[in-house]
Amino acid sequence: MSSKRTATQLQRTAAQSTELLQELVAHLRQNRTLLREEWANRITEAQLLTAMTKEELFAEATSVYDNYVEALATGTFEALQSYARNLSERIIPRGVETHEVVGIVLLLRDVLARSLFAKYQGDFTMLNRILDAYEPAANRIANTVAVGFVQERERVIRQQQEAIRELSTPVLQVRERLLILPIIGVIDAQRARQLTEQLLRGIRTNRAKVVVIDITGVAAMDATVANHLVQTVEASRLLGATVIVTGLSPEIAQTIVTIGVDLGKMNTVGDLQGGIEQAERLLGYKVVPVADITSS
Amino acid sequence: MEVPILKQGRFLIATIQAALSDADLLHLRRALIDKVIQFRSQGVIVDVTALDVMDSFATRTIRDITNMIRLRGADTVIVGIQPEVAFAMVQLGLTMEGVATALDLEEGLSHLQQRANGKT
């Protein structure tokens, strides 16, 4: 019995709040120009979205405002969501930060709340009820926009990660049976695994006997990656290839010794040139200037 | 599953053609040593190209074969370890230290030839 009453009460409250929201929306539509300007000013004052020009900011503010009111009016957030995504797509490349986006949405919420205070200052109960209806909707809007922005950002990050991954490390043949694997950038566990796969496959297809892995372009290396490198060297040996590692930077040399990775099985040479020269010796090549041959 | 052991001049070639049970491996070990003695071979090639798994027992047996054949004064080369198998073995710590490896049969033969030439 009591639960039934609560249900009807809830229904009534919901109906009331929709009614109140409609009143609110009417108010916001009426004062569109004024509130929008006020909001744009507050954004400039707070020095948010400095990457945009004043006109752009105003144009963007207008559409955000309209979408905001629309979301309040309809109570659906899909349109707002896709707008937020679209907006993020446009402003992320310009260097707009998350705090700026959240900041402007919160500012809009505050500006609108203030205007409600001003309108209903004579009627405290009415103000209370209007705020009851307004606040959850406004919070949800702020949430939607912020989440939309962050999601878009993450999507961009994922896309870039993929792009970096696809800039795969080439396995190059410089001489018959001699491969070079220049590694540049940061190696994480996943990239290390990919490198190994490519190298082992390269050894097979090129029938390599010697491989020079050049890590001049690698700034830092942790224990996992160092161990992985050792494993790669051993796996290459199982395929019958000798690996020469060149270009260990002083930092990496120190790290590797400090963390105690056993590089005893590894053949290391100072630089790429030295590595290639040693590889040629292993393969039985001898590079001699043409003049020396003709004179002898 | 019997592993055929072929005689090729001074060398023996054992080509493993399918996954072997532990008993098969022990049988291969025995047969190889017998043949090395019988033919006075200078080198043995064990071709594992067809294997897509090398477990610890197989690895250990192959290392044992190498060591036993070395006692007879002959060399052993393991050829044709697949890239995936190689990496899996290394991750399991089965690095087959002291065992000569080569990419394929041709490489293995030229390796044995070099070793034999070095000795004579």
Side-chain angles (χ1 to χ4, degrees), chain A residues 22-81:
Chain A
Q22 290 319 320
E23 187 177 335
L24 178 69
V25 167
H27 165 72
L28 296 183
R29 285 210 173 113
Q30 254 168 30
N31 298 289
R32 177 165 176 260
T33 325
L34 201 74
L35 290 170
R36 199 179 46 181
E37 230 157 273
E38 161 82 17
W39 180 40
N41 286 339
R42 291 277 301 270
I43 294 175
T44 326
E45 255 171 58
Q47 299 205 321
L48 293 170
L49 295 184
T50 43
M52 297 167 99
T53 64
K54 217 168 160 84
E55 290 75 36
E56 280 177 315
L57 193 117
F58 195 74
E60 214 59 81
T62 307
S63 45
V64 174
Y65 185 93
D66 291 342
N67 274 289
Y68 194 101
V69 175
E70 194 58 34
L72 277 177
T74 57
T76 56
F77 295 83
E78 282 79 16
L80 185 71
Q81 228 162 16

Side-chain angles (χ1 to χ4, degrees), chain A residues 25-294:
Chain A
V25 167
H27 165 72
L28 296 183
R29 285 210 173 113
Q30 254 168 30
N31 298 289
R32 177 165 176 260
T33 325
L34 201 74
L35 290 170
R36 199 179 46 181
E37 230 157 273
E38 161 82 17
W39 180 40
N41 286 339
R42 291 277 301 270
I43 294 175
T44 326
E45 255 171 58
Q47 299 205 321
L48 293 170
L49 295 184
T50 43
M52 297 167 99
T53 64
K54 217 168 160 84
E55 290 75 36
E56 280 177 315
L57 193 117
F58 195 74
E60 214 59 81
T62 307
S63 45
V64 174
Y65 185 93
D66 291 342
N67 274 289
Y68 194 101
V69 175
E70 194 58 34
L72 277 177
T74 57
T76 56
F77 295 83
E78 282 79 16
L80 185 71
Q81 228 162 16
S82 66
Y83 172 73
R85 207 170 302 134
N86 178 294
L87 174 70
S88 310
E89 238 168 71
R90 273 179 289 129
I91 61 178
I92 285 174
R94 312 186 57 169
V96 174
E97 299 291 334
T98 318
H99 78 91
E100 290 184 290
V101 170
V102 178
I104 63 161
V105 180
L106 291 181
L107 273 181
L108 177 57
R109 195 192 64 170
D110 294 347
V111 167
L112 300 188
R114 283 291 170 86
S115 86
L116 294 178
F117 287 143
K119 186 178 181 195
Y120 297 103
Q121 59 186 336
D123 187 350
F124 184 70
T125 0
M126 187 60 185
L127 174 64
N128 229 347
R129 283 172 49 204
I130 271 262
L131 281 180
D132 275 348
Y134 170 68
E135 276 165 357
N139 285 342
R140 190 143 170 231
I141 290 172
N143 213 343
T144 309
V145 172
V147 168
F149 183 82
V150 171
Q151 273 175 346
E152 174 61 22
R153 234 185 138 115
E154 279 170 356
R155 195 186 62 79
V156 169
I157 292 174
R158 263 198 305 278
Q159 214 173 28
Q160 286 172 345
Q161 273 179 337
E162 215 110 289
I164 292 172
R165 216 165 286 144
E166 274 167 24
L167 284 175
S168 60
T169 310
V171 179
L172 310 166
Q173 176 159 351
V174 286
R175 231 173 265 295
E176 190 116 332
R177 331 212 56 192
L178 168 55
L179 295 181
I180 292 193
L181 181 77
I183 305 177
I184 291 169
V186 182
I187 320 180
D188 55 11
Q190 197 192 356
R191 188 158 174 232
R193 177 177 293 274
Q194 197 193 8
L195 275 174
T196 309
E197 261 170 46
Q198 269 177 349
L199 175 62
L200 295 181
R201 226 163 268 147
I203 289 175
R204 227 188 142 67
T205 49
N206 295 301
R207 301 177 48 81
K209 253 199 132 101
V210 184
V211 180
V212 180
I213 300 183
D214 181 62
I215 56 169
T216 316
V218 179
M221 193 178 270
D222 61 9
T224 330
V225 174
N227 278 319
H228 196 94
L229 192 63
V230 175
Q231 289 181 340
T232 307
V233 171
E234 284 172 348
S236 307
R237 195 191 74 85
L238 287 177
L239 263 66
T242 312
V243 176
I244 300 170
V245 181
T246 65
L248 275 111
S249 68
E251 289 77 30
I252 293 184
Q254 286 180 51
T255 329
I256 282 179
V257 174
T258 317
I259 57 184
V261 175
D262 178 23
L263 291 190
K265 289 173 214 137
M266 252 153 84
N267 206 341
T268 50
V269 177
D271 57 7
L272 183 59
Q273 184 185 348
I276 293 180
E277 281 167 5
Q278 181 168 350
E280 283 168 343
R281 269 197 298 280
L282 283 174
L283 288 169
Y285 290 117
K286 192 176 169 194
V287 181
V288 182
V290 180
D292 289 6
I293 303 174
T294 47

Side-chain angles (χ1 to χ4, degrees), chain B residues 5-119:
Chain B
I5 299 174
L6 311 173
K7 181 169 171 297
Q8 157 71 40
R10 296 171 293 173
F11 309 130
L12 292 180
I13 301 168
T15 306
I16 299 175
Q17 291 173 344
L20 294 182
S21 70
D22 291 1
D24 292 336
L25 278 162
L26 293 175
H27 185 255
L28 171 67
R29 187 176 80 179
R30 175 78 213 199
L32 263 177
I33 297 164
D34 285 349
K35 292 244 159 120
V36 167
I37 294 169
Q38 187 190 341
F39 296 122
R40 308 186 61 242
S41 301
Q42 292 180 347
V44 174
I45 292 177
V46 180
D47 183 359
V48 296
T49 310
L51 291 189
D52 45 16
V53 173
M54 289 265 272
D55 60 7
S56 57
F57 187 81
T59 314
R60 210 183 70 209
T61 311
I62 286 174
R63 208 183 46 215
D64 290 351
I65 291 174
T66 311
N67 290 333
M68 291 168 188
I69 289 173
R70 188 176 295 137
L71 289 178
R72 284 294 303 178
D75 291 313
T76 309
V77 189
I78 311 302
V79 304
I81 299 177
Q82 300 292 327
E84 298 78 26
V85 178
F87 198 64
M89 284 169 66
V90 170
Q91 283 187 320
L92 293 171
L94 310 172
T95 57
M96 300 227 286
E97 263 161 71
V99 179
T101 47
L103 191 68
D104 52 22
L105 193 59
E106 187 186 343
E107 287 297 305
L109 276 170
S110 84
H111 173 88
L112 285 181
Q113 215 101 44
Q114 269 175 13
R115 295 283 306 235
N117 292 342
K119 273 184 200 166

